[in-house]
Amino acid sequence: MDMTVNYIYDSNGAIEYAIIPYSVWKKLKQSITIKKIEKFKDDEKDFNPSEYRGLLSHLNLDIEKELKNMKDQWNTNI
């Protein structure tokens, strides 16, 4: 695998971008995707809904009214 890295410099001569071969990008992208999937699985295990209890309580929402509004919006979008 060719690992030539090319750089693009700004007007001050500082490196602004690095250009890598597509094959390297593809492997990096795959690795990042795998790590995100693994992180999501870890997050899923640690999810505790009780941590979010009362998060919207200061808004004094009428939940039944809000649910009706949501249902009405769904029906008008069909």
Side-chain angles (χ1 to χ4, degrees), residues 11-26:
S11 59
N12 296 322
I15 297 174
E16 194 167 359
Y17 299 98
I19 302 171
I20 61 173
Y22 179 72
S23 58
V24 174
W25 170 253
K26 195 172 168 182

Side-chain angles (χ1 to χ4, degrees), residues 28-40:
L28 284 171
K29 187 175 174 184
Q30 183 179 23
S31 174
I32 290 168
T33 302
I34 290 169
K35 286 179 183 177
K36 283 184 180 180
I37 290 169
E38 289 170 355
K39 183 182 182 324
F40 177 74

Side-chain angles (χ1 to χ4, degrees), residues 2-75:
D2 184 23
M3 195 47 203
T4 303
V5 178
N6 296 295
Y7 298 98
I8 299 176
Y9 299 87
D10 66 11
S11 59
N12 296 322
I15 297 174
E16 194 167 359
Y17 299 98
I19 302 171
I20 61 173
Y22 179 72
S23 58
V24 174
W25 170 253
K26 195 172 168 182
K27 286 189 183 234
L28 284 171
K29 187 175 174 184
Q30 183 179 23
S31 174
I32 290 168
T33 302
I34 290 169
K35 286 179 183 177
K36 283 184 180 180
I37 290 169
E38 289 170 355
K39 183 182 182 324
F40 177 74
K41 286 180 182 176
D42 290 344
D43 288 349
E44 192 175 303
K45 292 175 191 168
D46 297 332
F47 177 70
N48 182 2
S50 65
E51 294 175 8
Y52 301 95
R53 182 183 172 132
L55 189 66
L56 301 175
S57 62
H58 70 283
L59 298 176
N60 297 322
L61 298 173
D62 180 350
I63 299 300
E64 295 302 320
K65 182 180 172 185
E66 294 299 325
L67 288 172
K68 183 182 179 323
N69 287 341
M70 287 173 60
K71 288 177 186 177
D72 289 345
Q73 288 176 4
W74 292 336
N75 292 333

